[in-house]
Amino acid sequence: MVEQRYRAVLEVLDGSLITEIAQRYGVSRQSVYTWKAKYAAGGFEGLREA
């Protein structure tokens, strides 16, 4: 699961649209925004469930 989140975040950082990524991974746009924020705050480890 962490790897999936990481791949999604990398796609965002590479310029892909949040909407497209959310559809591709079957999650809400808010989830992608949350993963991006967690990655920015804590890197790969930040994407793990608390």
Side-chain angles (χ1 to χ4, degrees):
M1 186 66 155
V2 175
E3 292 81 12
Q4 177 187 22
R5 293 174 183 172
Y6 180 64
R7 286 192 305 271
V9 169
L10 290 181
E11 289 183 41
V12 171
L13 297 177
D14 282 340
S16 295
L17 297 174
I18 297 279
T19 301
E20 291 176 358
I21 294 167
Q23 289 174 346
R24 189 175 312 126
Y25 288 91
V27 298
S28 68
R29 290 182 310 124
Q30 184 59 48
S31 291
V32 179
Y33 282 112
T34 300
W35 298 344
K36 183 181 173 195
K38 287 184 175 187
Y39 180 77
F44 184 83
E45 290 300 315
L47 296 172
R48 294 191 186 280
E49 289 290 330

